Amino acid sequence: MSEKDPRRILSQAVLYLPRDHVRASSRRPPTAPPSPRTSGQVPQAQGNFSYLRVKADLHQQLLADLDRRNLINSSEEQLAELVEDFVEQALAVQDLALNESERRQMVDDLLEETLGVGPLAPLLADPAVTDVLVNGPHQVFIERFGRLEKTEVHFRDAEHLVRIIQRIAARVGRRIDEASPMVDARLPDGSRVNATLPPVTIDGPTLSIRRFGRRRLRRDDLMELGMFSPTMREFLEWVVRGRKNILISGGTGSGKSTFLGAIAEAIPNHERIVTIEDAAELILDQEHVVRMETRPPNIEGLGKIAARDLVINALRMRPDRIIVGEVRGGEALDMLQAMNTGHDGSLTTIHANSPRDALARLETMVLMAGLDLPSRAIREQIVAAIQLVVHIRRCEDGVRRVQSVAEITGMEGDTPQMQEVFVFRSCGRQGKRLAGEFVATGVVPRVVEQMRAENHDVPMSLFQPS
C-alpha cells in the first residue's frame, strides 16, 4: 500500500468531527441535536489537512463511481443511500474502527459535498446570515445583522468552488461553464444565487447567495424592527385597499421586496393577483395568486422570456392586481399603460436613491422600450399612473427604514410635482442604533379625498404633525 493510498490516508485521518447538520434526506435519525454555529467557522478538525485530503479522495472516488454507473442524476433519496453504502464499503477495507456517529458524519459530509453547498452548509444553517459572498476559494464573507463579516470558511481550491457552483446551477436547471460564465438563479428555498467564472471575474470564481428568511417578515415584524411607524402602516393599508398605484424605491439590499410583500397583505383575499419577477421571491397570503417568472436564453441563445413579455401577457389574464417585483427596462412602459388602463392597485419596485430619482429612472426605463417618445409625454404617463412613491433606505446602523412616503401631485411645466406625507427624521445616535422618529408632515394627500369619495373612511388624524 503506497503512502498516497486513500486507505492509508483514511487510517491516519482525524475523524472526531461533531455533527454540524442533519440533511432531511438522511435515512437515519440523529443521535443528538446538531450543535449551533454562530461564528461562521468550520470545526477545528475540519481544518485538519489530513481529513480534507481524505474526504477529497473519497469524494473523487464516489463521483467516479456514480458517473461510471450513470447514477449522478439520481434523486436525493437514492443518492443518500448510495453515499451511505459507498462510505460503509470504503471504511470496511481498512482497520480503523468508527462508531455509528463517526460513520454518519462521513456520510453527511460526502452527501453535502455531492448534493449541497459543501463548506457553506454551516453558514446557510445560521438563520441570522442574510448574504453569503464568496470571493474565490479562500475568501468567504457573510452579512449578519446588516454588517459584513469575514469567516474562516474556505474551499479546497478553485476547482472545488467551481464544482459547487455548477452543482447549484444544475439543480435549478441552469448551466455555467467557460462558454456561459455567468448564472443568476433561484434556489428551492427562494434564495437568490449569482455566480461567475473566469474570465468574467479575473481573480477566480465568485458566488453570491442572498438568503430570505425561513419565514416571511410580515407587517407587524417590520414595524417591530423599526422599518415604519404604526401611523404609516395604517395609511399604507388604506392606500392598498383603496387600489392606488405605489412605486417602492430604494438601493440594493434596502428591503424593497420584503416591504412589497408586507404591504401586499392588505390586498383583499377575493382579488386575482398576478406577480411578475426575475426570480420568484414574493410569498403572498391571498388564495388567488398567479406567479410568473422570467427566463434567460438557453445555451443556443433561444427561449428567453423577458419581463415585458410577461407584463403584456398578464394583461390578458384578467388580473385585479399586477405586482412587478422590480422594473429594470422596457417593461416599465407596459406597466404604466396597465396602471392607466384600469389595472389600479398595482405595485412595483425600482432601484433609486430618492423618490425624485425614482421618477427619473422610470423615465429612462420607458425609453428602453425602444419607442421615440418625448420626455413630457412619458412624465405625463408617470404622473397619471402612480399616486405614491415609498422610498426605503438601509441606514448606517444596518436597519432598513422607510425614509419617505411622497405623493405625486401633478405637473408644473415639464417637472413632476411631489409632496412628502411621512418622513424619517434622524437626530444622531443612541449607542450603535440610529436615533430618530417617523413624523407626519401635516400634508393631507389628495388620494385621501378620492378614497373618501369611494367610501373609504380614512382617519384624518393620521396626518397630524407629531
Side-chain angles (χ1 to χ4, degrees):
M1 186 180 298
S2 67
E3 293 183 359
K4 295 185 179 181
D5 193 299
R7 290 173 292 179
R8 177 179 293 276
I9 296 171
L10 183 61
S11 66
Q12 300 170 352
V14 178
L15 292 173
Y16 52 86
L17 285 170
R19 188 175 186 191
D20 59 346
H21 64 280
V22 180
R23 290 190 56 86
S25 56
S26 178
R27 296 187 294 123
R28 293 175 296 189
T31 57
S35 56
R37 292 204 197 138
T38 57
S39 62
Q41 298 183 356
V42 295
Q44 184 177 359
Q46 259 187 344
N48 184 285
F49 178 74
S50 297
Y51 179 82
L52 293 177
R53 187 168 55 176
V54 170
K55 191 169 68 173
D57 289 338
L58 287 180
H59 187 221
Q60 291 295 336
Q61 294 178 38
L62 173 62
L63 291 178
D65 183 62
L66 293 175
D67 186 56
R68 177 177 55 81
R69 298 163 62 186
N70 197 27
L71 297 173
I72 194 67
N73 293 321
S74 302
S75 66
E76 292 195 13
E77 291 76 11
Q78 291 174 319
L79 282 174
E81 297 181 8
L82 293 170
V83 171
E84 184 176 336
D85 294 339
F86 173 84
V87 172
E88 289 179 354
Q89 294 175 13
L91 298 182
V93 300
Q94 44 78 40
D95 299 330
L96 184 61
L98 297 179
N99 60 36
E100 185 68 17
S101 177
E102 292 168 334
R103 287 174 180 267
R104 189 183 304 116
Q105 178 63 49
M106 181 63 73
V107 171
D108 286 344
D109 284 350
L110 288 180
L111 189 59
E112 188 60 47
E113 287 290 337
T114 306
L115 290 175
V117 291
L120 301 180
L123 303 180
L124 296 178
D126 185 350
V129 174
T130 55
D131 286 271
V132 178
L133 309 171
V134 182
N135 304 338
H138 306 298
Q139 197 175 62
V140 179
F141 291 84
I142 61 172
E143 181 182 294
R144 185 188 285 131
F145 305 117
R147 296 186 178 276
L148 286 177
E149 306 173 17
K150 188 175 182 180
T151 72
E152 298 298 324
V153 172
H154 62 277
F155 293 82
R156 189 167 56 253
D157 49 33
E159 183 180 350
H160 185 200
L161 175 55
V162 170
R163 189 162 60 246
I164 295 291
I165 291 173
Q166 290 176 335
R167 184 186 311 139
I168 292 173
R171 292 181 70 186
V172 294
R174 302 290 173 85
R175 176 178 173 180
I176 182 169
D177 51 27
E178 292 182 357
S180 180
M182 297 186 295
V183 69
D184 189 54
R186 173 177 53 87
L187 293 180
D189 66 353
S191 300
R192 291 285 300 274
V193 175
N194 182 273
T196 61
L197 300 180
V200 172
T201 42
I202 300 172
D203 298 324
T206 70
L207 176 65
S208 303
I209 302 177
R210 169 164 289 181
R211 302 183 63 213
F212 299 94
R214 296 182 180 178
R215 72 177 184 89
R216 180 169 66 87
L217 292 175
R218 309 180 72 84
R219 288 174 294 184
D220 293 340
D221 299 321
L222 295 181
M223 192 170 66
E224 290 179 5
L225 291 171
M227 194 172 201
F228 45 78
S229 67
T231 303
M232 295 167 68
R233 167 186 161 167
E234 185 177 353
F235 171 67
L236 291 171
E237 288 176 356
W238 279 109
V239 171
V240 172
R241 286 198 294 266
R243 300 182 63 86
K244 303 306 176 186
N245 299 322
I246 301 176
L247 177 65
I248 302 168
S249 65
T252 301
S254 60
K256 300 185 299 297
S257 298
T258 303
F259 180 80
L260 173 60
I263 65 171
E265 294 176 28
I267 298 175
N269 194 50
H270 64 270
E271 295 188 6
R272 176 176 170 87
I273 306 171
V274 178
T275 68
I276 299 167
E277 301 175 86
D278 283 329
E281 302 170 6
L282 287 174
I283 301 175
L284 303 181
D285 298 329
Q286 288 79 2
E287 182 179 4
H288 201 163
V289 179
V290 179
R291 305 171 73 202
M292 305 175 72
E293 188 177 52
T294 62
R295 187 176 72 184
N298 58 22
I299 194 64
E300 289 83 18
L302 304 174
K304 178 180 179 180
I305 300 178
R308 189 175 186 188
D309 301 324
L310 296 180
V311 172
I312 294 172
N313 187 77
L315 300 178
R316 309 185 182 114
M317 298 174 67
R318 197 252 170 231
D320 289 309
R321 308 264 187 161
I322 298 176
I323 298 178
V324 180
E326 182 180 340
V327 286
R328 300 173 182 266
E331 68 272 9
L333 175 61
D334 302 287
M335 183 70 186
L336 291 176
Q337 290 180 331
M339 291 176 174
N340 278 323
T341 54
H343 294 88
D344 299 326
S346 298
L347 308 170
T348 187
T349 73
I350 189 172
H351 280 270
N353 297 321
S354 67
R356 188 160 294 280
D357 181 47
L359 300 187
R361 294 205 70 236
L362 193 60
E363 180 180 344
T364 302
M365 291 175 185
V366 171
L367 293 173
M368 294 170 65
L371 300 179
D372 189 15
L373 297 174
S375 294
R376 181 176 178 83
I378 297 173
R379 292 170 187 171
E380 288 176 347
Q381 283 269 345
I382 294 172
V383 169
I386 298 172
Q387 281 78 52
L388 286 179
V389 180
V390 180
H391 183 69
I392 303 174
R393 177 170 170 258
R394 180 166 66 172
C395 299
E396 295 80 2
D397 56 357
V399 178
R400 280 82 169 170
R401 294 182 176 91
V402 174
Q403 198 75 18
S404 171
V405 177
E407 182 188 35
I408 301 177
T409 58
M411 294 272 291
E412 184 174 319
D414 291 336
T415 305
Q417 298 300 301
M418 305 177 72
Q419 58 182 7
E420 287 189 318
V421 182
F422 297 97
V423 295
F424 174 74
R425 290 178 179 164
S426 173
C427 56
R429 282 182 173 270
Q430 288 182 343
K432 294 183 178 180
R433 193 175 177 91
L434 192 66
E437 59 180 346
F438 299 99
V439 297
T441 61
V443 173
V444 178
R446 299 181 181 182
V447 293
V448 171
E449 300 176 8
Q450 300 169 10
M451 289 189 290
R452 280 177 162 264
E454 298 165 356
N455 296 323
H456 294 283
D457 190 17
V458 184
M460 301 301 291
S461 60
L462 297 176
F463 312 107
Q464 293 179 356
S466 302

